[in-house]
Amino acid sequence: MQRSAALSDAPDRVQPPWQTSQTNVVALLDLLEVQIDAFAMCEIEDCCGLTVPPSDRLTVHYVLAGEGTIVSEHGSLPIAAGMAVVIPRGLAKQINGRDPILTVSNADPACVLAPGLVKFCVSSGSERALMLGCASVEANLGHGVALFESLSQPLVYQDQSQIVPQTFKAILGELSKPGIGTKALVDTLMKQVLLLLVRESLKGIGASVPLEPLPASCPIVRAINFIAARPQDAHSVDKLARVVGMSRSVFAQKFAEIAGTSPMRYVQAARLTVASRLLKDSTVPVKLIADSVGFASRSHFSRAFVTMFGVDPTTFRQRENIAAAGPTGQLSSSAI
């Protein structure tokens, strides 16, 4: 897969991600936030196909049983039990059972199995069927950086560990009998699946993973990783420029070109991203969270938090606790 062009102060040849610094990758993955927007079961019998419109979310399929193909503008991808496939944003596809394909249905309507869990079924009377668990997910690596953002073709992972099937079964089980904390739990389980996909792909299995728009040796990527690893530090444009060996003016210009924002705005967004996780996952007082991520006062922290998230930290924590306590909502074809 081609990556975007490197800057003049970066190497001409972009190395595969498994040859770049694993420390840089870990720093980015520490900011990984995952939310499942929709989840579905698909049962597609022999000679049948299911057409699915493009989605603005990543879609993760895990083949629970059977075999078939996923057909898109990039061709026909054979799939079989034990395979996980990540479908990039904006890619229309058709999921087929075994050939010949005689019956094709649209993704809607779906059968609601439970709150947050729907099923799509295309039947031909065959005893054999392709069965998939399908999740539409939002996955971000902090402010303005989406996981698999530059992914253009399906990414395939052949599971050898049994962790992915066990995780998908756990998601299905939780959604089948939703209760307190269902949403938080299924989001956490899906994060585990995505981390496994990233880890295996970094070993060179399957395909490359576009974690970064530029190679890890690029000074701006190194600066982003430095911020991600130490958001609480007293960062300044001058200090960050010195860390990566660039002049202040060139660093500020190049950073804005790549990150889409100024260095200090990115620092603030990284701090707020870490703070939002602490608000969701802990009972640490807001003032201590503000201190721990580098804000000089709670009032400054609250104003910045409202600007980024639309609500103050206390309201955000209350809202997330309510969301975590209830089941996920009714879903549609966005799950596949």
Side-chain angles (χ1 to χ4, degrees):
M1 178 181 301
Q2 298 295 320
R3 292 173 180 251
S4 56
L7 296 177
S8 59
D9 52 0
D12 293 335
R13 182 178 295 276
V14 178
Q15 297 297 322
W18 53 87
Q19 294 179 10
T20 64
S21 169
Q22 292 191 9
T23 301
N24 290 327
V25 172
V26 169
L28 284 174
L29 292 182
D30 281 344
L31 291 177
L32 179 60
E33 297 280 351
V34 176
Q35 289 187 331
I36 293 184
D37 293 330
F39 199 93
M41 285 289 298
C42 291
E43 183 175 330
I44 304 168
E45 295 184 0
D46 289 351
C47 306
C48 295
L50 183 70
T51 60
V52 184
S55 170
D56 62 352
R57 298 286 190 267
L58 285 175
T59 307
V60 181
H61 300 287
Y62 182 74
V63 185
L64 297 163
E67 57 186 54
T69 55
I70 295 178
V71 181
S72 69
E73 63 184 44
H74 299 290
S76 181
L77 173 68
I79 56 175
M83 292 177 62
V85 183
V86 178
I87 301 295
R89 301 167 181 85
L91 184 64
K93 59 184 179 290
Q94 181 171 308
I95 307 173
N96 295 332
R98 290 158 56 99
D99 289 335
I101 306 305
L102 304 176
T103 301
V104 178
S105 298
N106 293 322
D108 285 324
C111 171
V112 178
L113 299 179
L117 178 62
V118 297
K119 182 176 181 179
F120 297 87
C121 185
V122 188
S123 177
S124 63
S126 171
E127 295 181 356
R128 293 176 300 192
L130 172 67
M131 298 189 66
L132 305 96
C134 310
S136 172
V137 300
E138 183 72 12
N140 294 299
L141 294 163
H143 177 65
V145 182
L147 182 66
F148 302 117
E149 184 172 20
S150 59
L151 187 66
S152 61
Q153 301 184 38
L155 173 67
V156 181
Y157 166 49
Q158 180 69 51
D159 181 56
Q160 303 292 335
S161 66
Q162 293 303 305
I163 297 177
V164 172
Q166 291 170 2
T167 304
F168 263 90
K169 288 177 182 177
I171 292 173
L172 286 170
E174 183 64 27
L175 289 174
S176 297
K177 296 180 180 179
I180 296 174
T182 286
K183 184 178 187 302
L185 181 56
V186 297
D187 287 347
T188 300
L189 290 170
M190 182 51 63
K191 179 176 179 177
Q192 176 177 300
V193 171
L194 290 177
L195 286 173
L196 282 169
L197 291 174
V198 171
R199 185 179 70 181
E200 292 305 315
S201 295
L202 288 173
K203 295 177 182 177
I205 299 174
S208 64
V209 181
L211 282 172
E212 305 163 344
L214 294 167
S217 57
C218 169
I220 304 306
V221 172
R222 286 193 282 118
I224 289 173
N225 290 331
F226 185 76
I227 294 167
R230 306 166 69 172
Q232 75 281 358
D233 283 10
H235 296 297
S236 69
V237 178
D238 286 330
K239 290 180 180 178
L240 290 170
R242 288 198 297 271
V243 165
V244 298
M246 297 177 71
S247 72
R248 185 186 191 282
S249 59
V250 172
F251 171 75
Q253 177 185 351
K254 295 294 187 182
F255 194 101
E257 289 175 1
I258 292 174
T261 189
S262 68
M264 296 316 296
R265 285 182 181 272
Y266 192 95
V267 168
Q268 179 160 292
R271 290 171 173 168
L272 292 170
T273 298
V274 174
S276 69
R277 184 184 303 121
L278 291 172
L279 288 166
K280 288 189 293 184
D281 298 340
S282 77
T283 58
V284 175
V286 174
K287 175 64 169 65
L288 292 181
I289 290 177
D291 291 342
S292 71
V293 296
F295 282 88
S297 68
R298 173 170 175 167
S299 60
H300 181 203
F301 170 65
S302 294
R303 288 194 299 271
F305 198 92
V306 169
T307 299
M308 182 165 175
F309 292 98
V311 295
D312 64 87
T314 300
T315 302
F316 177 88
R317 171 175 270 170
Q318 293 170 345
R319 188 180 66 184
E320 290 298 319
N321 287 341
I322 292 171
T328 53
Q330 300 297 319
L331 310 177
S332 65
S333 62
S334 62
I336 54 174

